[in-house]
Amino acid sequence: MKVLLLKDAKEDDCGQDPYIRELGLYGLEATLIPVLSFEFLSLPSFSEKLSHPEGYGGLIFTSPRAVEAVELCLEKDNKTEVNKIGLDTEGANSGNAEKLAEYICSRESPALPLLFPCGTVKGEILPKMLKDRGIPMESITVYQKIPHPGIQVNLNSYYSKQGVPASITFFSPSGLTYSLKHIQELSGDSIDRIKFAAIGPSTARALTAQGLRVSCMAESPTPLALAKGLQVALQAPSCD
């Protein structure tokens, strides 16, 4: 059964995208189409802040793009590791915003503000929780999401070769915004046959706001959780 995942491919240690592999185990033939690109912003200002680590108590990361922004600044300054500029990363392995905030709050309250590199669209949960706990934080916008330049061409190619997919999974509200019009045009009257899936609650809410029925929401943003959810939604064969 053919399913479409609107995300970029990322190979793991086995040389294959984990979503492709996991969904394949559940009898689903997945195709990945990227719908988002990113551009970096304010890197000179960010680099200046990083060059004065004595002014901050640590760094908060909530996205891979923010990490990439730091790496770009460090490369520019001929440094390779965050700890070489005297900053610790806060909650590097923490999960969602609530868990990250709880992790930070469980540690000794920093006297200096935590530096939070983020995107133009950021949640307010983390800043609010830290503010309520009296933990200082300074945000700086270092990237923004933009539509992937190949969305329309790639979707046209997929539909012409594969036809209408049994399911389409969206991985962010932004990805939905940039791709939905093309999907509606290509699917036509067949759009009612498509099972729409969301990787998480914010994306599910965005789908609902567009008047689309959410047939599947992954219990967690992982390949296994999505595979199990799609299996139920599509009544696909078991991988046993």
Side-chain angles (χ1 to χ4, degrees), residues 119-141:
T120 50
V121 180
K122 68 177 187 297
E124 295 302 321
I125 294 175
L126 177 61
K128 184 179 185 304
M129 289 185 72
L130 296 185
K131 181 179 179 180
D132 291 345
R133 304 290 181 90
I135 296 177
M137 185 186 75
E138 180 181 328
S139 300
I140 178 170
T141 301

Side-chain angles (χ1 to χ4, degrees), residues 33-38 146-155 178 182:
I33 293 181
V35 294
L36 293 176
S37 290
F38 299 85
I146 58 175
H148 190 282
I151 291 179
Q152 188 169 5
V153 171
N154 291 334
L155 284 172
Y178 296 144
H182 302 305

Side-chain angles (χ1 to χ4, degrees), residues 21-128:
R21 183 177 62 254
E22 195 66 47
L23 269 63
L25 296 175
Y26 282 74
L28 302 173
E29 182 183 341
T31 299
L32 307 181
I33 293 181
V35 294
L36 293 176
S37 290
F38 299 85
E39 61 182 10
F40 292 102
L41 307 169
S42 307
L43 290 187
S45 297
F46 187 34
S47 182
E48 176 66 19
K49 292 179 184 297
L50 291 175
S51 68
H52 296 285
E54 69 280 359
Y56 300 96
L59 271 167
I60 302 174
F61 291 129
T62 59
S63 75
R65 235 56 58 185
V67 176
E68 290 177 24
V70 172
E71 290 174 342
L72 288 172
C73 291
L74 294 180
E75 289 175 3
K76 177 178 175 294
D77 295 334
N78 296 318
K79 297 176 181 176
T80 57
E81 298 176 15
V82 170
N83 59 15
K84 287 187 178 179
I85 60 173
L87 283 173
D88 294 324
T89 55
E90 290 286 353
N93 295 318
S94 298
N96 58 29
E98 292 92 338
K99 290 182 179 179
L100 178 56
E102 290 297 335
Y103 170 85
I104 296 173
C105 293
S106 69
R107 305 186 67 186
E108 182 179 351
S109 180
L112 298 172
L114 301 175
L115 185 57
F116 178 31
C118 57
T120 50
V121 180
K122 68 177 187 297
E124 295 302 321
I125 294 175
L126 177 61
K128 184 179 185 304

